[in-house]
Amino acid sequence: MPKTKLAIFTATGCRGCEDAVLDIHHFVNSLTPWAEIVFWPYVAGHHWQDLEDHDQIDLCLFAGAICTDADRQAAETLRDKAKLMVACGACAAFGGLPGLVNLTSNRQEESMPGITEGDPPPLPRTEPRVRGLSGVVETDYFIPGCPPTQNLLWTAIQALACGGEAPARISYAYARLPESTSLAVTSGVLPRHGSTFGGERAVCAGCSRMKQEKKFSTVYRQHEIAPDPGRCLLEQGVICQGLATREGCGGLCTAVGAACRGCFGKAEGIYDAGTKMVSAISSTFDTTDRKEAERMTDRFVDLAGTLYRYTVPEQCVLLSADPKE
């Protein structure tokens, strides 16, 4: 049986998603009978010319946002080569942190100065708008997270590269995986085209923190409060996005008292995660006095950047990129 030809690449990003692959540690060795890495510049030092030796690759894990013309060209080249193109991580899936630049006015391409002999090569031109991978090329699957959690990433790689013949069972946090994702690796039946490796419910649905009366009288930034253990963070005035964010991470952040920041994107059935959060926050203000409500809202710092931290290009309804631009 021929091995799956695997490519891993990052456009504009921190390379945290590639490090997440390395963080799977010795489990990766069990992929050897099923998969062969044929292109991984970050780790193996491959060059674009190395892709010319392969008429086609089976699977590409593409991380990072599309911010420059070089990112676009890389995405298009790998899409032409790959049978399956997978957006790996929040930047590729939704635009990620680089996508926050779209909250400003559209960027204009600057004219490049003349290049003379001895000058370093020019920087790539920036795109007018930052996009996720699906804003540039057809994307078959999405693996969310900043970066994806080890168990979710390892499950997705096994499901996509091994055809149901899982080479190794996950020994950590396996029970936290959504059922559809677990089935993909154990049965070889992949989710429908365009699906996200994650759950359908919101993080809140699986959060172990107690929900009581969702009312608060002030708003805290994460560093301003030591939250009560076991109690809902939103009820304590910390802006936690678990009620609008897709499950699949296992609630790792909320379990240690850190608010969910939405790196898995919006949950199924939610039209716009930001407006969902605005509605939830405003309904939990413990006041009917207008001036008091204004005082509370003044406590918010960069509300748009907070609620759309990872998703401006692809999931913010008012600012999502038009693929036909």
Side-chain angles (χ1 to χ4, degrees), residues 36-58:
E36 174 189 6
I37 297 175
V38 298
F39 184 70
W40 195 355
Y42 179 52
V43 171
H46 290 123
H47 299 282
W48 286 107
Q49 293 86 338
D50 296 318
L51 273 180
E52 297 177 1
D53 298 333
H54 305 279
D55 294 331
Q56 192 172 57
I57 57 178
D58 299 300

Side-chain angles (χ1 to χ4, degrees), residues 210-220 225 228 231-239 243 279-289 292 295-296:
M210 294 289 294
K211 288 82 172 174
Q212 298 172 340
E213 184 182 4
K214 290 189 176 179
K215 295 289 183 182
F216 55 83
S217 57
T218 190
V219 177
Y220 295 103
I225 183 175
D228 294 339
R231 184 183 167 206
C232 175
L233 293 171
L234 188 59
E235 291 181 5
Q236 299 181 63
V238 180
I239 305 307
L243 60 87
S279 175
I281 293 169
S282 60
S283 66
T284 53
F285 279 0
D286 191 15
T287 181
T288 57
D289 182 77
E292 181 65 13
R295 181 194 65 79
M296 293 169 67

Side-chain angles (χ1 to χ4, degrees), residues 79-137:
R79 174 69 276 185
D80 288 342
K81 288 278 187 178
K83 293 181 181 178
L84 289 178
M85 192 74 164
V86 180
C88 183
C91 289
F94 321 118
L97 292 175
L100 289 173
V101 73
N102 290 0
L103 290 173
T104 64
S105 57
N106 286 358
R107 299 176 296 171
Q108 300 295 323
E109 289 190 4
E110 298 180 0
S111 58
M112 301 298 292
I115 304 299
T116 59
E117 186 176 354
D119 286 343
L123 294 173
R125 291 184 180 274
T126 57
E127 293 276 295
R129 295 176 65 84
V130 174
R131 303 168 186 260
L133 181 63
S134 62
V136 174
V137 298

